[in-house]
Amino acid sequence: MTSIDLMRMGLKNLWRRKLRTFLTVLGVIIGTSSIVVMLSLGFGMQEAFKGQLSRMGSLNTVNIHKRYGGYDEMSSGRNTQEAKLDDKAILNFKNMPHVTAVTPIVEVYGMIKSGRYTAHTSIKGIDPEAMEYFDFNIGEGRLLQTGDNLNIVFGGGMKYNFYDEKAMRRGRYEEPDIDLMNDRMVLTFDMDTGRRPTMPGESIKKPKYKDYNIKAVGILEEGNWETDYGIYASIDTVQKMIEEKEKAEGNNQKQNRRAQQEYERIMVRVDDIKNVANVQQKIKDDGFEAYSLSDMLDEMNKMTGIIQAVLGGIGAISLLVAAIGITNTMVMSIYERTKEIGIMKVIGASLKDIKKLFLFESAMIGLLGGIAGVIFSYILSFLVNKFSPAFGDFMGLGGETKISIIPIWLVFAALGFSALIGIISGYYPARRAMNLSALEAIRTE
């Protein structure tokens, strides 16, 4: 018998017992859709956690801090010589494999005045040439460029930091009417503006801080918790501001910051999230403290992996019941078709052809159930995502987050797995059909 003959005969046999075939396929549909939907919920959680972390910062960025000697280093027996976060360390980081950009971060706190509005903020110095590599998504204007002096870039949420100080004293809050790109801005480190003596005869001697006329050249996109509430300027400009601030406060200790500067923090950009762990470990081996949001993502992925295993196990039980149903259907089919099997053997059908016939029928039941199960899974996934935004808000994942995600590879895996379940379930009945005696089968009524 040719393969086409076997396929035609198998489909005819399945169609001849439509109700039984439908009920058996229905069991596979339920089992397949249970597994796919359960796993899709786990994938949805992973993407939601990843999106939540990305709002806190870049997943490809490693933050490096100075390591201070402690119990871990003493117990490990390693050389505890102090590692310095200086320009030499920056050069070393740049030469590491998979590192695309490195920048130190210098930070100081100050106050911005614009008309009657005031905002307290952090001023972060960054290398303008490296800024474009660190996921600073511009919403308006441009990023920093080489040569920018008092030009700055505002965080996406900085407009909410401004307030009318006089209105606040009167117990009234007004929405600030401010244009960050065009309004005149003055940056100062004089945080005690407007303070009056609290005791009779008290005199207030304040440092004479310098005022800086700053100009906004860009505003970052809103939604990144790490960058929303701060301003960014060239690192050379911020270092100069810090020197002038210390001088105004009476710190006359002269030092060449460029030659002796030890940075509090350095950011390293890695080309791919898969390489973050290796780069981070190499930096730790050099004696620095390094962390990244990928650490949190790994922990979350482990948690969602456990959840997926539990949910997938629940769905697998349904598919196991469906496999038993396929086996039962095929065994019953043998009892009903005993005479037919005997005639096939007498007229010359080989044992291999009989085995193929029953395996094909069981595989078709599994495959048809898998196809219908995948379609049903997409319908359930659509309904879950459409009618459950409140669940995303409750979990803190955002109302627009997809709770159920079905990747394309899962579709093909489900189809292949359901067909394989059908073949495995039909193996015993096929062997039973092969071992039937032809003469006894013909005599059976």
Side-chain angles (χ1 to χ4, degrees), residues 34-43 45-46 300-318 409-410:
S34 297
I35 292 180
V36 172
V37 171
M38 293 295 186
L39 292 179
S40 73
L41 294 175
F43 293 128
M45 291 178 63
Q46 285 182 344
M300 289 180 176
N301 285 340
K302 290 178 182 178
M303 182 182 69
T304 54
I306 295 173
I307 295 174
Q308 278 184 311
V310 174
L311 296 178
I314 295 173
I317 294 174
S318 302
W409 66 264
L410 181 58

Side-chain angles (χ1 to χ4, degrees), residues 144-312:
L144 294 175
Q145 297 177 352
T146 303
D148 282 335
N149 186 10
L150 292 176
N151 292 339
I152 66 164
V153 172
F154 276 103
M158 270 300 297
K159 59 184 177 181
Y160 306 115
N161 263 16
F162 285 87
Y163 63 94
D164 187 340
E165 190 170 352
K166 292 183 179 179
M168 292 290 286
R169 288 175 184 171
R170 294 193 297 267
R172 186 177 64 190
Y173 174 76
E174 296 179 358
E175 188 76 22
D177 181 17
I178 190 167
D179 186 346
L180 298 180
M181 291 292 291
N182 298 313
D183 287 352
R184 182 175 178 271
M185 303 275 181
V186 176
L187 172 65
T188 181
F189 296 106
D190 186 1
M191 312 293 279
D192 295 325
T193 301
R195 183 189 165 199
R196 298 179 180 179
T198 57
M199 299 287 292
E202 179 187 4
S203 61
I204 299 177
K205 186 178 181 180
K206 299 189 301 182
K208 294 183 178 179
Y209 294 107
K210 183 177 179 180
D211 290 340
Y212 302 92
N213 294 313
I214 58 176
K215 170 65 178 175
V217 295
I219 302 174
L220 299 177
E221 287 183 355
E222 190 175 349
N224 189 314
W225 300 342
E226 187 177 23
T227 63
D228 269 352
Y229 301 100
I231 65 173
Y232 291 85
S234 168
I235 188 169
D236 294 332
T237 301
V238 177
Q239 285 178 329
K240 185 178 178 181
M241 288 180 178
I242 294 175
E243 289 178 357
E244 293 173 346
K245 176 178 179 289
E246 291 176 349
K247 184 177 179 180
E249 292 172 348
N251 184 1
N252 295 319
Q253 192 175 28
K254 293 184 178 180
Q255 59 179 348
N256 187 342
R257 283 187 171 270
R258 288 184 179 276
Q260 302 180 19
Q261 174 76 39
E262 278 195 58
Y263 305 104
E264 288 295 323
R265 180 163 70 105
I266 293 177
M267 294 197 308
V268 171
R269 175 74 177 190
V270 183
D271 56 1
D272 193 289
I273 192 173
K274 297 177 183 178
N275 301 319
V276 170
N278 292 334
V279 173
Q280 185 174 335
Q281 186 58 49
K282 193 172 189 325
I283 292 171
K284 288 182 177 180
D285 294 340
D286 289 343
F288 301 102
E289 192 65 42
Y291 76 92
S292 66
L293 292 177
S294 295
D295 296 338
M296 296 177 61
L297 183 62
D298 290 339
E299 293 300 321
M300 289 180 176
N301 285 340
K302 290 178 182 178
M303 182 182 69
T304 54
I306 295 173
I307 295 174
Q308 278 184 311
V310 174
L311 296 178

Side-chain angles (χ1 to χ4, degrees), residues 3 88 124 204 250 261 298 319 371 376:
S3 298
K88 183 178 179 182
K124 299 176 183 179
I204 299 177
Q261 174 76 39
D298 290 339
L319 198 58
I371 294 173
F376 187 58

Side-chain angles (χ1 to χ4, degrees), residues 403-422:
I403 297 177
S404 174
I405 297 176
I406 303 177
I408 190 65
W409 66 264
L410 181 58
V411 173
F412 290 106
L415 294 178
F417 187 63
S418 60
L420 179 63
I421 288 294

